[in-house]
Amino acid sequence: MVLVVLDHDGNKLRKGSLEALTRAWRLAEGLGEKVAGVLLAEEGAPLEEARKYVDILYTATLGPYTAEKWAAAVLEAAKMGAKAVVAPSSRQSRTYLGRVAYALKAGLLEDTLDSSLEGSEVHATRYAYLNRVTQRVKAALPVVLTVKTNTTPLAEPLEASAEVVPLAVPEVPTVEVLDRVAEEKKGVSLTEANVVVTGGRGMGSAEAFKGAEELAALLGGAVGATRAVVDAGWRPYGEQVGQTGKTVQPALYIALGVSGAVQHLAGMNKSKYIVAVNKDPEAPIYKHTDYGIVGDVHQVLPALIQAVKKLKD
Amino acid sequence: MPIDFSLTEEQKQLQALARRFAREVIMPVAREYDEKEEVPWPIIERLHEVGLLNAIIPEEYGGMGLKMLDEVIVGEELAYACMGIYTIPMASDLGITPVLLAGNHEQKERFLRPLTEKPALAAFALSEPGNGSDAAALKTRAVRQGDYYVLNGTKMWISNGGEAEWVVVFATLNPELRHKGVVALVVEKGTPGFQAVKIHGKLGQRASGTYELVFEDVKVPVENRLGEEGEGFKIAMQTLNKTRIPVAAGSVGVARRALDEARKYAKEREAFGRPIAEFQAIQFKLADMLMGIETARMYTYYAAWLADQGLPHAHASAIAKAYASEMAFEAANQAIQIHGGYGYVREFPVEKLLRDVKLNQIYEGTNEIQRLIIARHVLAE
Amino acid sequence: MKFVAVIRQVPDGESRLRIQGGKVDLSGATLILDQMDEYAVEEALRLKEKHGGEAVVVGFGPERAEEAIRTALAMGMDRGVHVVFEGFADPVAVAEALVPVLKEEAPTLVLTGGQQADWDSQALGAALAEGLGVPVVAWTTAIELEGDTAKAKHDLDEGAEWVRVRLPALFTTQQGLNEPRYPTLPGIMKAKKKEIRKVQAEVRASVELLSEEIQEKQRLGRILDGKDPVAAAEELVRLLHEEAKVI
């Protein structure tokens, strides 16, 4: 069978899970096999919703997430004859599935844009070299496949609800979770936002970001930051966009006072439209810009806010 | 197979370190220091932290014992980011070299070791307001009085003069003896009567501090004399024979930067429907730049090799210094030309290259003096 | 105590990449110690400086990757092991090749970068941990040793957490954990004399690379002069609304 790991927020399946389901169904249909889901919870999980998307649903409640517990649970489900394990990409899933791929001696196809069955092999497309290169890769079954968000249509629910089978997950040596530090959720999530307004070192100070916040709020988006800004302590690490931060793919990415270092570009160069404001006409960002203004951010940003307000009226 | 054009593993690592330092530490702030005409102490401190400052001091005295070829590799990389900032460690080496050439063991220990223990600079003072090329006509006067020399006079255009822990000052004991009357004295910072006045308004290399040094009855202990009385001029000339070579390396770095900026611009700028890099006029300029860079670099390596081998290198270093500075000036000039109007404004990096590298034709012996040295060598055969 | 950093050599992010024969050609690129792995090396050095013991760098890759191991030695690692393999090997295959070498070293703690700059993969650390039979703490931002356990802070998908783990364990590293030191000139000199043990790798690749292409999206490049910021801003907003239709 093809096993799908279903990611959720306790109440609802996440969008990525529905994309992973589509990929899993495609593989399963090609192989003439069933699709099994594995629904792992710290406490609660959307059981009834999950049952609608698979032929059989394996479940387990495991307490606080650790990579070892999640890997052990997935392996337990995979023992039931999984030829492929499919999951939405996230830092957590890419960690525990790294363990799973090693344990199964499976071909690991990470953060894929698409995937298809060719005989007894899975072919996939993914990015490499800091998002600058598109790779075609393939692996023989068994395969572990993670699915990049916003690449695949969402699965439709089936007519019947699946049978639920609780898993007996073995105890494994793992970490002891001491203390969770919740990320301050300011409005829209950076990775899901349709508009991202990022400030770079050219913003000059933490105070200047109030303007970025205002512009983001007006456009219904999220605020991002470059590594330099996070290093300077002006914005939290959770807002960092780049190789060592988050990768985003919004419809509109506005870069204010951002020079355009490759490590930052890696985190946003797949955005639909990129806008840049910088006083240095030589800044590398302009090579990757759809619309830009060469000027002083401190003057342009308030003008942009006014112009957007006027548009809304 | 005696000739080998490849770098050793350590030289490659040294080059990688200098290149990374230039890119991460110097490039982001070079323009700011140039605009403010301010000496970048944070960079001097980082140079010391990574072991690149005063690195020619031998291991025996706490230094890294870098050879001239290693210096040249580092110099090109640092100057790529900013020639003005590179002049700071380069001029410190200029001050250190007379001590290496003519100091006794006790002097080397006393003067050199402290420069390895913390970020600190040395300086070399030969030129005066009234004489540069005519070095033997120097007027700064040293008079022996018991255990001291009393120093009176003014030195001009001294790099690091106001920042240095000590300055090697060339003075005359008897002007009538011309070059045979010169003595080399190490004058320590803070010695009463010794004042350094910063020169403002330089065209380029503005991050490097250039000073007028004034000596009014400055008492310098006899223990601070390098070599014997009357040997000072020879020490100065032998020093400059060596220290011209890093200047050539710096010129190569600036020229390489000019080429990289010009290449980048030419590929993007469009005229008549295509990138200007497709036009022969531009291509010829780029080719000329590369011709100059490659030949200057190879010759600079050769001059450095001669120096490291202990072979005569006076005319070779003169060729390297004169040729590299002239080809670099032309490279910067053409880089501005390729940029058109944008080359003429401060927001683009190329105008600074011209302003900076012009000085390479003047200091450490003007290119006219270099030609005299080379001609002397030609006519000696 | 023994602190092991697992590293690889990758192209410098600023390098121009070329495609030759349908695959990325690295022959013109500047190759460096992966920046993510630098945090691992730095942490191994700090742990050794604080707690004593040995700091060992283990590198995987072709012969030329030795330069990256030398860089780590120049940063201060005590000795190196180079697991040599020319050619493409996926992270799980790399982990399989490294596990016997790491088991032989019997480390207190293993560190490696959270993501690789060539394959954009996050799997190596986790796969190594599975092979070694130890827990993995991914995306670590702080580590404190406490005898035979360690306390660490690391990122989750949402937020971060503090954990305690029995050693040996594996940590993947990222920005925020530390500030990597430069390989200084004295370090480069000392590294000359440090040992690098070579091991020929047994590699069983489980993913095959079919082709690669550079696809940099062609951007419109419509740049406006901001001398009159109000006019420029209004024009920009008009373009985004009417042309791009994105606001």
Side-chain angles (χ1 to χ4, degrees), chain B residues 10 13-14 17 20 23-25 46 49-51 64, chain C residues 12 14 38 70-71 182-186 188-189 192:
Chain B
E10 290 76 53
Q13 292 197 300
L14 182 58
L17 170 60
R20 181 177 167 179
R23 185 170 80 185
E24 293 180 4
V25 180
R46 300 283 320 259
E49 269 166 38
V50 301
M64 297 308 317
Chain C
D12 182 332
E14 319 263 327
E38 268 188 6
R70 287 260 169 236
T71 303
Y182 272 73
T184 66
L185 188 45
I188 292 172
M189 303 275 174
K192 257 195 293 201

Side-chain angles (χ1 to χ4, degrees), chain A residues 110 129 180-181 237 292 294, chain C residues 118 121 130 160-161 174 224 226:
Chain A
E110 251 183 293
Y129 295 95
R180 286 263 166 96
V181 178
Y237 178 63
V294 176
Chain C
D118 52 359
S121 163
E130 182 70 15
E161 68 181 5
Q174 62 168 325
L224 308 166

Side-chain angles (χ1 to χ4, degrees), chain C residues 6 18-19 39 50 54 60 76 85 137 231 233 236 245 247:
Chain C
V6 173
R18 279 199 320 245
I19 298 286
Y39 299 114
K50 189 156 182 212
E54 207 188 2
F60 178 93
F85 181 72
V137 179
L236 176 61
K245 300 202 208 306
I247 58 171

Side-chain angles (χ1 to χ4, degrees), chain C residues 2 28 55 60 67 88 92 145 181-182 185 193 207 239:
Chain C
K2 191 184 292 186
F60 178 93
E67 286 158 22
F88 177 80
V92 173
L145 281 202
R181 64 196 69 183
Y182 272 73
L185 188 45
K193 307 194 185 89
V207 176
L239 287 167

Side-chain angles (χ1 to χ4, degrees), chain C residues 101-115:
Chain C
V101 172
L102 291 176
K103 282 193 170 150
E104 209 185 308
E105 290 287 340
T108 312
L109 209 140
V110 179
L111 299 140
T112 192
Q115 180 165 328

